[in-house]
C-alpha cells in the first residue's frame, strides 16, 4: 500500500490517503505538545514507540472482541487503518485521581476511585477541548444516544482489558483518553492511538510516571520513560496472546 496525498497533519501524527478510498496511512511523529499546543517539543523515538504500542494494544483489544480501526503495521512509524469519520469527542476513563480531575475537584493525585469514571471533552482546539455532557453531545449533534451508549460500553470494556494487561507488566493504568470513529456502515470502532501520550502509566511499586506527564511537567527522563514502558509491553505482549 503506497502513501498518497497528505490529508491532515495533527500534533503527533500525519494522515495520508491510499489507493483504496476506505483505507488511510497514519504516520507517527516525534513531535510532542501539551496544554493545547502551548508547549512544544520533541521526544526522540516517540513516533516509533507510539506506533508499535498502539498497534500491539489494539490487536490485544481486537482479540477480546473490541473493534478497532487497525488494519496493518506497515513500518516503524506507519500504519494502515480503516478510514473513519471521527466522533469529535475525547473519551476519558479514570481509575485513579490525577491531572485535570485532581485539579478540578481538589482531590489528591493517586486517590484510588471506588469505580472507574468516564467523561467527555468536545474535540475542538479553538475552544480548548471543553468538557461536555451527554445531553449537550446529543443537542449539538456530535453523536446520538445509541452511539454514546456503545462508546461508553466499549470504553469501560477497554479499561478492564488494558488495566489487566498493564498490571501484568507491573504498571498501573491511572487514566487514558480514547477516540472513536464511524465506519461507512455507521458502526463504531476504536480509532486514534493508545500510547504513553494518551495514557497515564505508573510503575506499580515505585509509582514512577512512565508517560507523557514527564514532558508536560518537565520531570526529565522523558525518552527513558517511553523506552521503559515499551520494554515492559514487549516483554508481556507475547504472554497476553496465549
Ligand atoms: P487530564 O487529567 O489532563 O484531563 O488527562 C486525562 C488523560 O487524557 C491522560 O491520560 C492524558 C490524556 N490526554 C490526552 O490524551 N490528550 C489531551 O489533550 C489531554 C488533555 C489529556
Ligand atoms: N493534546 C494536548 C495538546 O494539545 C497534549 C496533551 O496534554 O496530551 O497539546
Amino acid at each position: 500500500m503506497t502513501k498518497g496525498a497528505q490529508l491532515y497533519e495533527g500534533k503527533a501524527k500525519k494522515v495520508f490517503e491510499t489507493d483504496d478510498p476506505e483505507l488511510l496511512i497514519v504516520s507517527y511523529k516525534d513531535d510532542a505538545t501539551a496544554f493545547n499546543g502551548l508547549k512544544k517539543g520533541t521526544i526522540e523515538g516517540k513516533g516509533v514507540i507510539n506506533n508499535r504500542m498502539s498497534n500491539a494494544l489494539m490487536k490485544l483489544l481486537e482479540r477480546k472482541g473490541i473493534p478497532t480501526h487497525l488494519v496493518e503495521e506497515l513500518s516503524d512509524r506507519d500504519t494502515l487503518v480503516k478510514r473513519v469519520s471521527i466522533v469529535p469527542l475525547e473519551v476519558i476513563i479514570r481509575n485513579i485521581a490525577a491531572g485535570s480531575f485532581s485539579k478540578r475537584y481538589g482531590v489528591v493525585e493517586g486517590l484510588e476511585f471506588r469505580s472507574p469514571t468516564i467523561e467527555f471533552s468536545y474535540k475542538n482546539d479553538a475552544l480548548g477541548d471543553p468538557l461536555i455532557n451527554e445531553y449537550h453531545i446529543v443537542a449539538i449533534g456530535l453523536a446520538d444516544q445509541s452511539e454514546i451508549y456503545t462508546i461508553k460500553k466499549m470504553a469501560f470494556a477497554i479499561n478492564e482489558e488494558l488495566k489487566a494487561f498493564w498490571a501484568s507488566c507491573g504498571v498501573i493504568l491511572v487514566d487514558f483518553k480514547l477516540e472513536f470513529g464511524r465506519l461507512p456502515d455507521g458502526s463504531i470502532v476504536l480509532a486514534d492511538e493508545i500510547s504513553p501520550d494518551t495514557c497515564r502509566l505508573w510503575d506499580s511499586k515505585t509509582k514512577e510516571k512512565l508517560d507523557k506527564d514527564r514532558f508536560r511537567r518537565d520531570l526529565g527522563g522523558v525518552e527513558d520513560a517511553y523506552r521503559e514502558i515499551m520494554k515492559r509491553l514487549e516483554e508481556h505482549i507475547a504472554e497476553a496472546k496465549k
Side-chain angles (χ1 to χ4, degrees):
M1 192 62 70
T2 48
K3 262 187 207 170
Q6 183 174 308
L7 258 189
Y8 172 79
E9 177 161 8
K11 297 190 191 100
K13 299 188 285 294
K14 292 179 185 175
V15 181
F16 297 87
E17 288 186 318
T18 69
D19 316 333
D20 184 335
E22 294 193 356
L23 299 175
L24 299 174
I25 292 172
V26 176
S27 188
Y28 286 73
K29 306 189 287 181
D30 286 348
D31 299 353
T33 65
F35 316 116
N36 200 17
L38 278 180
K39 180 183 170 106
K40 289 190 177 71
T42 304
I43 303 175
E44 198 91 19
K46 171 173 87 80
V48 175
I49 287 174
N50 286 10
N51 181 41
R52 291 214 200 113
M53 181 176 294
S54 190
N55 293 341
L57 294 174
M58 289 210 189
K59 270 190 217 160
L60 181 147
L61 293 172
E62 287 273 0
R63 282 199 299 279
K64 305 288 183 181
I66 292 154
T68 78
H69 71 164
L70 176 65
V71 178
E72 189 190 357
E73 189 167 296
L74 298 175
S75 69
D76 269 3
R77 289 177 187 271
D78 292 353
T79 291
L80 190 64
V81 299
K82 291 178 190 163
R83 185 181 205 136
V84 298
S85 139
I86 287 284
V87 178
L89 296 173
E90 301 204 334
V91 180
I92 295 156
I93 297 278
R94 300 178 193 267
N95 297 303
I96 291 177
S100 68
F101 187 98
S102 288
K103 201 168 160 202
R104 187 175 314 114
Y105 300 114
V107 175
V108 65
E109 219 174 65
L111 176 89
E112 223 171 290
F113 293 152
R114 292 168 196 198
S115 52
T117 67
I118 192 164
E119 74 216 36
F120 301 99
S121 291
Y122 175 24
K123 237 177 98 70
N124 184 318
D125 280 342
L127 298 175
D129 299 338
L131 277 176
I132 189 163
N133 74 31
E134 293 178 32
Y135 289 90
H136 297 162
I137 292 169
V138 174
I140 64 174
L142 303 181
D144 65 30
Q145 231 143 20
S146 78
E147 288 176 324
I148 297 173
Y149 175 82
T150 304
I151 286 171
K152 285 200 290 188
K153 217 170 113 183
M154 280 172 69
F156 282 117
I158 290 166
N159 185 41
E160 291 311 311
E161 297 300 343
L162 294 184
K163 240 192 328 191
F165 172 71
W166 283 116
S168 78
C169 305
V171 171
I172 302 171
L173 178 61
V174 173
D175 57 32
F176 57 99
K177 184 265 298 179
L178 301 172
E179 293 182 26
F180 293 86
R182 300 177 185 100
L183 291 176
D185 70 358
S187 62
I188 299 278
V189 297
L190 178 65
D192 194 48
E193 68 180 278
I194 313 174
S195 73
D197 277 20
T198 63
C199 303
R200 284 196 174 92
L201 300 160
W202 295 354
D203 179 89
S204 306
K205 287 203 190 95
T206 65
K207 308 287 189 291
E208 189 193 354
K209 296 181 196 329
L210 299 171
D211 58 60
K212 194 177 162 191
D213 267 355
R214 301 205 76 84
F215 169 81
R216 295 188 187 99
R217 301 178 186 190
D218 295 320
L219 300 176
V222 184
E223 276 91 0
D224 283 347
Y226 275 72
R227 280 196 291 268
E228 171 63 22
I229 196 76
M230 189 62 199
K231 189 177 120 228
R232 302 257 190 119
L233 175 134
E234 277 173 343
E235 283 167 1
H236 290 86
I237 202 80
E239 279 299 307
K241 279 184 194 156
K242 287 179 191 161

